[in-house]
Amino acid sequence: MSMTQDTSKRPSPEEPGSSSLSKRARLEQNHPESPDNAPPESSTREKHPGKRDAAGWSKSRKGKEKQSKNAGRRRGPRPTSPSETPKNDDDDGPRPPRLPKRMTALLLGFCGSGCSGMQIQPNVRTIEGVLFDALVRAGAVSKDNADDPTKVNLGRAARTDAGVHAAGNVVSMKLIVNLPGVKDWVSRINEELPPEIRVWGKVRVQGGFNARLSCDSRKYTYFFPSYLLIPPKPNSAFARSQRAAAASGGPASDTLQHPFWDFPGADSSSPEQDLARKRQWRVAANDVDALRTTAKRFEGTHNFHNFTVGRDFADRSNQRNMIRIQAKPAVYGDTEWISVLFHGQSFMLHQRKMMSALVLSCRTGTPTEIIDELYGPRMVLVPKMPALGLLLEYPIFDSYNQKVTTANQRKKYDDPHVDFRPPIDFEQYRSTIDAFKQTFIYEDMRATEDRHGIFDAWMRYVDNYEGNDLLYLNPRGIIPATAVIRKDGKRRPKPFKESKRFDVTNIKELKDAPPLEEESGSEEESMSKPALEDMEG
């Protein structure tokens, strides 16, 4: 056998200038298809029989309907100028050139009044929805991605409930950070946003950055008028149920006999008269100390199943770590307010229940041990405080900042370098943030309370409850069997029902809301575990 191969049947090399003629085209020229002609023999047919059709040709979409799924999708090299941009059959003109996207962290603040929370939801106004639409209008999100935020990996460091404010939060997504003709990117985005939602700055982050998972901890502040610490009115339903429990063998509380209610005609005074007196009341130093002592019981790692909804005691996700809690009073206008700062790794849905347990236990003289009892397996009902007082201060990214700082130092990256990653730091915007808080959050919060008395209405709503659900607020600091919620589905008599009125922070919605006397209220909602996880932060 000769070592020289027979090349008479091998296709000749392409001639110069004939690159546009494909191999398939040359084959078709040499062997045109007809009913009488079979396809040409090929040495590769036997090697890859599965890649040929019944006639021996390579499999293709010949004879099939044109696929419309990927119509308009770019193929080949990226166009270098608008004139080279391919036209889309569905559009009147050429597609705009594709601009590069970069994973970016947006530092923002907002007044949550009038929004149904932070996270995008269909058919309702949310902070993320307003922000995303603004990014689309400004060109930071392309029109191809405008229909679905998941296309740009939208995420947030902390989710807030409806009406809750934030001085600082972080939203991360892939954004077009170099907009043609735009010198100040942040100002351009803010032009498309309402004044109560502001972007403080943007930070180029690492490709795998996730705002929620990269966040080490969050700081929240809850503000409430100090008069909430005044015990229940002696003739209120709550006070009567406390006395009835004491008469049946439980200990009596001397806290209910408070000097605030020791005046002629106290039993017949109107809510308006009581509120005027409450706003002139000032908390005593020992009451503030008691509040701080009780708040310390939240610090550390505990099972917070009673401070959210839809969580069983055995669920490991109930374990949350509170790092530090501080409380201090201050007078604004005619009303004294108390701020409670919560610094925790993460918070569960309806964290306002923590504030409710703190305030209700202090105003009823319940020992601090009741907080430890609430970490136990018995399930009880803890009401939600009004949404009006809750403010997300800012999320903290210490671990991420340390990681990027170390990488920058090791590789000697400086700010202009394309791979330089700055830390996430709200302090550089502190003066702007503080001015925003004063105008859009504090003044709005105080004006709403002054005009509508939200906190007093909530406390009177609680004091009008005459059932067993709140009997764990007692001088012994233990949970009685009558206050335990059973898991067998059996309805308990006179269950406490939450009022949606106290989830509202917008003045217009408050005006449109029905009076409390006409509202039926609702028991706690039931939510799936994935939905809960998505709504926590």
Side-chain angles (χ1 to χ4, degrees), residues 141-162:
V141 173
S142 67
K143 292 184 178 180
D144 288 340
N145 297 328
D147 61 333
D148 187 359
T150 60
K151 292 180 179 179
V152 292
N153 295 343
L154 174 65
R156 83 286 308 167
R159 180 201 170 274
T160 54
D161 292 341

mmCIF file with all atom_site columns, all heavy atoms in Angstrom, residues 141-162:
data_model
loop_
_atom_site.group_PDB
_atom_site.id
_atom_site.type_symbol
_atom_site.label_atom_id
_atom_site.label_alt_id
_atom_site.label_comp_id
_atom_site.label_asym_id
_atom_site.label_entity_id
_atom_site.label_seq_id
_atom_site.pdbx_PDB_ins_code
_atom_site.Cartn_x
_atom_site.Cartn_y
_atom_site.Cartn_z
_atom_site.occupancy
_atom_site.B_iso_or_equiv
_atom_site.pdbx_formal_charge
_atom_site.auth_seq_id
_atom_site.auth_comp_id
_atom_site.auth_asym_id
_atom_site.auth_atom_id
_atom_site.pdbx_PDB_model_num
ATOM 1   N N   . VAL A 1 141 ? -30.773 51.222 32.708 1.00 0.00 ? 141 VAL A N   1
ATOM 2   C CA  . VAL A 1 141 ? -31.257 49.874 32.415 1.00 0.00 ? 141 VAL A CA  1
ATOM 3   C C   . VAL A 1 141 ? -31.765 49.891 30.981 1.00 0.00 ? 141 VAL A C   1
ATOM 4   O O   . VAL A 1 141 ? -32.585 50.744 30.621 1.00 0.00 ? 141 VAL A O   1
ATOM 5   C CB  . VAL A 1 141 ? -32.382 49.438 33.372 1.00 0.00 ? 141 VAL A CB  1
ATOM 6   C CG1 . VAL A 1 141 ? -32.977 48.108 32.948 1.00 0.00 ? 141 VAL A CG1 1
ATOM 7   C CG2 . VAL A 1 141 ? -31.850 49.333 34.799 1.00 0.00 ? 141 VAL A CG2 1
ATOM 8   N N   . SER A 1 142 ? -31.266 48.985 30.163 1.00 0.00 ? 142 SER A N   1
ATOM 9   C CA  . SER A 1 142 ? -31.645 48.973 28.754 1.00 0.00 ? 142 SER A CA  1
ATOM 10  C C   . SER A 1 142 ? -33.108 48.569 28.586 1.00 0.00 ? 142 SER A C   1
ATOM 11  O O   . SER A 1 142 ? -33.700 47.939 29.463 1.00 0.00 ? 142 SER A O   1
ATOM 12  C CB  . SER A 1 142 ? -30.750 48.007 27.976 1.00 0.00 ? 142 SER A CB  1
ATOM 13  O OG  . SER A 1 142 ? -30.996 46.665 28.382 1.00 0.00 ? 142 SER A OG  1
ATOM 14  N N   . LYS A 1 143 ? -33.667 48.917 27.432 1.00 0.00 ? 143 LYS A N   1
ATOM 15  C CA  . LYS A 1 143 ? -35.059 48.565 27.162 1.00 0.00 ? 143 LYS A CA  1
ATOM 16  C C   . LYS A 1 143 ? -35.248 47.056 27.066 1.00 0.00 ? 143 LYS A C   1
ATOM 17  O O   . LYS A 1 143 ? -36.328 46.545 27.345 1.00 0.00 ? 143 LYS A O   1
ATOM 18  C CB  . LYS A 1 143 ? -35.524 49.249 25.874 1.00 0.00 ? 143 LYS A CB  1
ATOM 19  C CG  . LYS A 1 143 ? -35.618 50.763 25.991 1.00 0.00 ? 143 LYS A CG  1
ATOM 20  C CD  . LYS A 1 143 ? -36.176 51.387 24.723 1.00 0.00 ? 143 LYS A CD  1
ATOM 21  C CE  . LYS A 1 143 ? -36.303 52.902 24.875 1.00 0.00 ? 143 LYS A CE  1
ATOM 22  N NZ  . LYS A 1 143 ? -36.846 53.540 23.644 1.00 0.00 ? 143 LYS A NZ  1
ATOM 23  N N   . ASP A 1 144 ? -34.185 46.340 26.687 1.00 0.00 ? 144 ASP A N   1
ATOM 24  C CA  . ASP A 1 144 ? -34.279 44.881 26.634 1.00 0.00 ? 144 ASP A CA  1
ATOM 25  C C   . ASP A 1 144 ? -34.526 44.285 28.012 1.00 0.00 ? 144 ASP A C   1
ATOM 26  O O   . ASP A 1 144 ? -35.128 43.219 28.151 1.00 0.00 ? 144 ASP A O   1
ATOM 27  C CB  . ASP A 1 144 ? -32.983 44.291 26.055 1.00 0.00 ? 144 ASP A CB  1
ATOM 28  C CG  . ASP A 1 144 ? -32.855 44.558 24.564 1.00 0.00 ? 144 ASP A CG  1
ATOM 29  O OD1 . ASP A 1 144 ? -33.889 44.832 23.933 1.00 0.00 ? 144 ASP A OD1 1
ATOM 30  O OD2 . ASP A 1 144 ? -31.728 44.495 24.048 1.00 0.00 ? 144 ASP A OD2 1
ATOM 31  N N   . ASN A 1 145 ? -34.046 44.962 29.057 1.00 0.00 ? 145 ASN A N   1
ATOM 32  C CA  . ASN A 1 145 ? -34.172 44.457 30.427 1.00 0.00 ? 145 ASN A CA  1
ATOM 33  C C   . ASN A 1 145 ? -35.244 45.178 31.229 1.00 0.00 ? 145 ASN A C   1
ATOM 34  O O   . ASN A 1 145 ? -35.420 44.893 32.411 1.00 0.00 ? 145 ASN A O   1
ATOM 35  C CB  . ASN A 1 145 ? -32.829 44.590 31.154 1.00 0.00 ? 145 ASN A CB  1
ATOM 36  C CG  . ASN A 1 145 ? -31.739 43.755 30.514 1.00 0.00 ? 145 ASN A CG  1
ATOM 37  O OD1 . ASN A 1 145 ? -32.006 42.688 29.966 1.00 0.00 ? 145 ASN A OD1 1
ATOM 38  N ND2 . ASN A 1 145 ? -30.501 44.236 30.567 1.00 0.00 ? 145 ASN A ND2 1
ATOM 39  N N   . ALA A 1 146 ? -35.948 46.103 30.582 1.00 0.00 ? 146 ALA A N   1
ATOM 40  C CA  . ALA A 1 146 ? -36.891 46.940 31.314 1.00 0.00 ? 146 ALA A CA  1
ATOM 41  C C   . ALA A 1 146 ? -38.121 46.187 31.784 1.00 0.00 ? 146 ALA A C   1
ATOM 42  O O   . ALA A 1 146 ? -38.820 46.646 32.692 1.00 0.00 ? 146 ALA A O   1
ATOM 43  C CB  . ALA A 1 146 ? -37.315 48.127 30.444 1.00 0.00 ? 146 ALA A CB  1
ATOM 44  N N   . ASP A 1 147 ? -38.406 45.031 31.189 1.00 0.00 ? 147 ASP A N   1
ATOM 45  C CA  . ASP A 1 147 ? -39.634 44.315 31.530 1.00 0.00 ? 147 ASP A CA  1
ATOM 46  C C   . ASP A 1 147 ? -39.474 43.377 32.715 1.00 0.00 ? 147 ASP A C   1
ATOM 47  O O   . ASP A 1 147 ? -40.464 42.864 33.238 1.00 0.00 ? 147 ASP A O   1
ATOM 48  C CB  . ASP A 1 147 ? -40.120 43.517 30.320 1.00 0.00 ? 147 ASP A CB  1
ATOM 49  C CG  . ASP A 1 147 ? -39.107 42.482 29.864 1.00 0.00 ? 147 ASP A CG  1
ATOM 50  O OD1 . ASP A 1 147 ? -37.899 42.695 30.099 1.00 0.00 ? 147 ASP A OD1 1
ATOM 51  O OD2 . ASP A 1 147 ? -39.516 41.458 29.276 1.00 0.00 ? 147 ASP A OD2 1
ATOM 52  N N   . ASP A 1 148 ? -38.245 43.159 33.172 1.00 0.00 ? 148 ASP A N   1
ATOM 53  C CA  . ASP A 1 148 ? -38.041 42.170 34.235 1.00 0.00 ? 148 ASP A CA  1
ATOM 54  C C   . ASP A 1 148 ? -36.791 42.517 35.038 1.00 0.00 ? 148 ASP A C   1
ATOM 55  O O   . ASP A 1 148 ? -35.671 42.373 34.540 1.00 0.00 ? 148 ASP A O   1
ATOM 56  C CB  . ASP A 1 148 ? -37.901 40.767 33.636 1.00 0.00 ? 148 ASP A CB  1
ATOM 57  C CG  . ASP A 1 148 ? -37.846 39.686 34.699 1.00 0.00 ? 148 ASP A CG  1
ATOM 58  O OD1 . ASP A 1 148 ? -37.908 40.028 35.896 1.00 0.00 ? 148 ASP A OD1 1
ATOM 59  O OD2 . ASP A 1 148 ? -37.742 38.504 34.327 1.00 0.00 ? 148 ASP A OD2 1
ATOM 60  N N   . PRO A 1 149 ? -36.936 42.976 36.284 1.00 0.00 ? 149 PRO A N   1
ATOM 61  C CA  . PRO A 1 149 ? -35.771 43.350 37.094 1.00 0.00 ? 149 PRO A CA  1
ATOM 62  C C   . PRO A 1 149 ? -34.823 42.188 37.377 1.00 0.00 ? 149 PRO A C   1
ATOM 63  O O   . PRO A 1 149 ? -33.647 42.422 37.688 1.00 0.00 ? 149 PRO A O   1
ATOM 64  C CB  . PRO A 1 149 ? -36.395 43.873 38.387 1.00 0.00 ? 149 PRO A CB  1
ATOM 65  C CG  . PRO A 1 149 ? -37.778 44.259 38.017 1.00 0.00 ? 149 PRO A CG  1
ATOM 66  C CD  . PRO A 1 149 ? -38.199 43.299 36.952 1.00 0.00 ? 149 PRO A CD  1
ATOM 67  N N   . THR A 1 150 ? -35.306 40.947 37.281 1.00 0.00 ? 150 THR A N   1
ATOM 68  C CA  . THR A 1 150 ? -34.410 39.820 37.548 1.00 0.00 ? 150 THR A CA  1
ATOM 69  C C   . THR A 1 150 ? -33.335 39.690 36.470 1.00 0.00 ? 150 THR A C   1
ATOM 70  O O   . THR A 1 150 ? -32.302 39.060 36.711 1.00 0.00 ? 150 THR A O   1
ATOM 71  C CB  . THR A 1 150 ? -35.211 38.509 37.630 1.00 0.00 ? 150 THR A CB  1
ATOM 72  O OG1 . THR A 1 150 ? -35.886 38.273 36.383 1.00 0.00 ? 150 THR A OG1 1
ATOM 73  C CG2 . THR A 1 150 ? -36.236 38.576 38.751 1.00 0.00 ? 150 THR A CG2 1
ATOM 74  N N   . LYS A 1 151 ? -33.573 40.286 35.311 1.00 0.00 ? 151 LYS A N   1
ATOM 75  C CA  . LYS A 1 151 ? -32.570 40.222 34.250 1.00 0.00 ? 151 LYS A CA  1
ATOM 76  C C   . LYS A 1 151 ? -31.292 40.963 34.637 1.00 0.00 ? 151 LYS A C   1
ATOM 77  O O   . LYS A 1 151 ? -30.224 40.675 34.101 1.00 0.00 ? 151 LYS A O   1
ATOM 78  C CB  . LYS A 1 151 ? -33.124 40.809 32.953 1.00 0.00 ? 151 LYS A CB  1
ATOM 79  C CG  . LYS A 1 151 ? -34.244 39.995 32.315 1.00 0.00 ? 151 LYS A CG  1
ATOM 80  C CD  . LYS A 1 151 ? -34.715 40.657 31.031 1.00 0.00 ? 151 LYS A CD  1
ATOM 81  C CE  . LYS A 1 151 ? -35.826 39.865 30.357 1.00 0.00 ? 151 LYS A CE  1
ATOM 82  N NZ  . LYS A 1 151 ? -36.292 40.526 29.110 1.00 0.00 ? 151 LYS A NZ  1
ATOM 83  N N   . VAL A 1 152 ? -31.420 41.934 35.534 1.00 0.00 ? 152 VAL A N   1
ATOM 84  C CA  . VAL A 1 152 ? -30.241 42.696 35.963 1.00 0.00 ? 152 VAL A CA  1
ATOM 85  C C   . VAL A 1 152 ? -29.843 42.338 37.399 1.00 0.00 ? 152 VAL A C   1
ATOM 86  O O   . VAL A 1 152 ? -29.099 43.062 38.037 1.00 0.00 ? 152 VAL A O   1
ATOM 87  C CB  . VAL A 1 152 ? -30.498 44.212 35.838 1.00 0.00 ? 152 VAL A CB  1
ATOM 88  C CG1 . VAL A 1 152 ? -30.613 44.620 34.389 1.00 0.00 ? 152 VAL A CG1 1
ATOM 89  C CG2 . VAL A 1 152 ? -31.737 44.630 36.614 1.00 0.00 ? 152 VAL A CG2 1
ATOM 90  N N   . ASN A 1 153 ? -30.359 41.204 37.897 1.00 0.00 ? 153 ASN A N   1
ATOM 91  C CA  . ASN A 1 153 ? -30.000 40.690 39.227 1.00 0.00 ? 153 ASN A CA  1
ATOM 92  C C   . ASN A 1 153 ? -30.302 41.697 40.338 1.00 0.00 ? 153 ASN A C   1
ATOM 93  O O   . ASN A 1 153 ? -29.467 41.956 41.207 1.00 0.00 ? 153 ASN A O   1
ATOM 94  C CB  . ASN A 1 153 ? -28.519 40.296 39.271 1.00 0.00 ? 153 ASN A CB  1
ATOM 95  C CG  . ASN A 1 153 ? -28.201 39.154 38.354 1.00 0.00 ? 153 ASN A CG  1
ATOM 96  O OD1 . ASN A 1 153 ? -29.092 38.436 37.899 1.00 0.00 ? 153 ASN A OD1 1
ATOM 97  N ND2 . ASN A 1 153 ? -26.932 38.958 38.058 1.00 0.00 ? 153 ASN A ND2 1
ATOM 98  N N   . LEU A 1 154 ? -31.498 42.248 40.307 1.00 0.00 ? 154 LEU A N   1
ATOM 99  C CA  . LEU A 1 154 ? -31.883 43.220 41.326 1.00 0.00 ? 154 LEU A CA  1
ATOM 100 C C   . LEU A 1 154 ? -31.937 42.570 42.709 1.00 0.00 ? 154 LEU A C   1
ATOM 101 O O   . LEU A 1 154 ? -32.534 41.512 42.888 1.00 0.00 ? 154 LEU A O   1
ATOM 102 C CB  . LEU A 1 154 ? -33.248 43.820 40.985 1.00 0.00 ? 154 LEU A CB  1
ATOM 103 C CG  . LEU A 1 154 ? -33.872 44.759 42.018 1.00 0.00 ? 154 LEU A CG  1
ATOM 104 C CD1 . LEU A 1 154 ? -33.027 46.007 42.183 1.00 0.00 ? 154 LEU A CD1 1
ATOM 105 C CD2 . LEU A 1 154 ? -35.287 45.129 41.610 1.00 0.00 ? 154 LEU A CD2 1
ATOM 106 N N   . GLY A 1 155 ? -31.325 43.223 43.693 1.00 0.00 ? 155 GLY A N   1
ATOM 107 C CA  . GLY A 1 155 ? -31.367 42.761 45.080 1.00 0.00 ? 155 GLY A CA  1
ATOM 108 C C   . GLY A 1 155 ? -31.261 43.936 46.016 1.00 0.00 ? 155 GLY A C   1
ATOM 109 O O   . GLY A 1 155 ? -30.856 45.036 45.633 1.00 0.00 ? 155 GLY A O   1
ATOM 110 N N   . ARG A 1 156 ? -31.650 43.723 47.278 1.00 0.00 ? 156 ARG A N   1
ATOM 111 C CA  . ARG A 1 156 ? -31.588 44.801 48.252 1.00 0.00 ? 156 ARG A CA  1
ATOM 112 C C   . ARG A 1 156 ? -30.997 44.287 49.556 1.00 0.00 ? 156 ARG A C   1
ATOM 113 O O   . ARG A 1 156 ? -31.118 43.098 49.896 1.00 0.00 ? 156 ARG A O   1
ATOM 114 C CB  . ARG A 1 156 ? -32.960 45.425 48.487 1.00 0.00 ? 156 ARG A CB  1
ATOM 115 C CG  . ARG A 1 156 ? -33.887 44.737 49.458 1.00 0.00 ? 156 ARG A CG  1
ATOM 116 C CD  . ARG A 1 156 ? -34.511 43.480 48.947 1.00 0.00 ? 156 ARG A CD  1
ATOM 117 N NE  . ARG A 1 156 ? -35.163 43.661 47.667 1.00 0.00 ? 156 ARG A NE  1
ATOM 118 C CZ  . ARG A 1 156 ? -35.549 42.654 46.930 1.00 0.00 ? 156 ARG A CZ  1
ATOM 119 N NH1 . ARG A 1 156 ? -35.318 41.398 47.312 1.00 0.00 ? 156 ARG A NH1 1
ATOM 120 N NH2 . ARG A 1 156 ? -36.132 42.846 45.770 1.00 0.00 ? 156 ARG A NH2 1
ATOM 121 N N   . ALA A 1 157 ? -30.346 45.192 50.305 1.00 0.00 ? 157 ALA A N   1
ATOM 122 C CA  . ALA A 1 157 ? -29.712 44.802 51.563 1.00 0.00 ? 157 ALA A CA  1
ATOM 123 C C   . ALA A 1 157 ? -30.740 44.584 52.656 1.00 0.00 ? 157 ALA A C   1
ATOM 124 O O   . ALA A 1 157 ? -30.592 43.700 53.495 1.00 0.00 ? 157 ALA A O   1
ATOM 125 C CB  . ALA A 1 157 ? -28.702 45.861 52.003 1.00 0.00 ? 157 ALA A CB  1
ATOM 126 N N   . ALA A 1 158 ? -31.800 45.382 52.665 1.00 0.00 ? 158 ALA A N   1
ATOM 127 C CA  . ALA A 1 158 ? -32.821 45.271 53.700 1.00 0.00 ? 158 ALA A CA  1
ATOM 128 C C   . ALA A 1 158 ? -34.169 45.581 53.086 1.00 0.00 ? 158 ALA A C   1
ATOM 129 O O   . ALA A 1 158 ? -34.315 46.547 52.335 1.00 0.00 ? 158 ALA A O   1
ATOM 130 C CB  . ALA A 1 158 ? -32.536 46.234 54.854 1.00 0.00 ? 158 ALA A CB  1
ATOM 131 N N   . ARG A 1 159 ? -35.137 44.749 53.386 1.00 0.00 ? 159 ARG A N   1
ATOM 132 C CA  . ARG A 1 159 ? -36.490 44.982 52.927 1.00 0.00 ? 159 ARG A CA  1
ATOM 133 C C   . ARG A 1 159 ? -37.252 45.722 54.012 1.00 0.00 ? 159 ARG A C   1
ATOM 134 O O   . ARG A 1 159 ? -37.104 45.436 55.194 1.00 0.00 ? 159 ARG A O   1
ATOM 135 C CB  . ARG A 1 159 ? -37.183 43.648 52.638 1.00 0.00 ? 159 ARG A CB  1
ATOM 136 C CG  . ARG A 1 159 ? -38.606 43.807 52.152 1.00 0.00 ? 159 ARG A CG  1
ATOM 137 C CD  . ARG A 1 159 ? -39.412 42.552 52.361 1.00 0.00 ? 159 ARG A CD  1
ATOM 138 N NE  . ARG A 1 159 ? -40.821 42.793 52.114 1.00 0.00 ? 159 ARG A NE  1
ATOM 139 C CZ  . ARG A 1 159 ? -41.677 43.251 53.027 1.00 0.00 ? 159 ARG A CZ  1
ATOM 140 N NH1 . ARG A 1 159 ? -41.258 43.517 54.239 1.00 0.00 ? 159 ARG A NH1 1
ATOM 141 N NH2 . ARG A 1 159 ? -42.946 43.449 52.718 1.00 0.00 ? 159 ARG A NH2 1
ATOM 142 N N   . THR A 1 160 ? -38.071 46.701 53.629 1.00 0.00 ? 160 THR A N   1
ATOM 143 C CA  . THR A 1 160 ? -38.856 47.452 54.598 1.00 0.00 ? 160 THR A CA  1
ATOM 144 C C   . THR A 1 160 ? -40.344 47.237 54.326 1.00 0.00 ? 160 THR A C   1
ATOM 145 O O   . THR A 1 160 ? -40.766 47.059 53.184 1.00 0.00 ? 160 THR A O   1
ATOM 146 C CB  . THR A 1 160 ? -38.545 48.961 54.525 1.00 0.00 ? 160 THR A CB  1
ATOM 147 O OG1 . THR A 1 160 ? -38.726 49.424 53.178 1.00 0.00 ? 160 THR A OG1 1
ATOM 148 C CG2 . THR A 1 160 ? -37.111 49.229 54.942 1.00 0.00 ? 160 THR A CG2 1
ATOM 149 N N   . ASP A 1 161 ? -41.130 47.263 55.403 1.00 0.00 ? 161 ASP A N   1
ATOM 150 C CA  . ASP A 1 161 ? -42.573 47.106 55.292 1.00 0.00 ? 161 ASP A CA  1
ATOM 151 C C   . ASP A 1 161 ? -43.203 48.357 54.686 1.00 0.00 ? 161 ASP A C   1
ATOM 152 O O   . ASP A 1 161 ? -42.549 49.392 54.509 1.00 0.00 ? 161 ASP A O   1
ATOM 153 C CB  . ASP A 1 161 ? -43.192 46.842 56.667 1.00 0.00 ? 161 ASP A CB  1
ATOM 154 C CG  . ASP A 1 161 ? -42.788 45.491 57.230 1.00 0.00 ? 161 ASP A CG  1
ATOM 155 O OD1 . ASP A 1 161 ? -42.348 44.627 56.449 1.00 0.00 ? 161 ASP A OD1 1
ATOM 156 O OD2 . ASP A 1 161 ? -42.899 45.302 58.457 1.00 0.00 ? 161 ASP A OD2 1
ATOM 157 N N   . ALA A 1 162 ? -44.474 48.265 54.402 1.00 0.00 ? 162 ALA A N   1
ATOM 158 C CA  . ALA A 1 162 ? -45.217 49.403 53.846 1.00 0.00 ? 162 ALA A CA  1
ATOM 159 C C   . ALA A 1 162 ? -45.130 50.588 54.790 1.00 0.00 ? 162 ALA A C   1
ATOM 160 O O   . ALA A 1 162 ? -45.337 50.465 55.998 1.00 0.00 ? 162 ALA A O   1
ATOM 161 C CB  . ALA A 1 162 ? -46.677 49.007 53.618 1.00 0.00 ? 162 ALA A CB  1
#
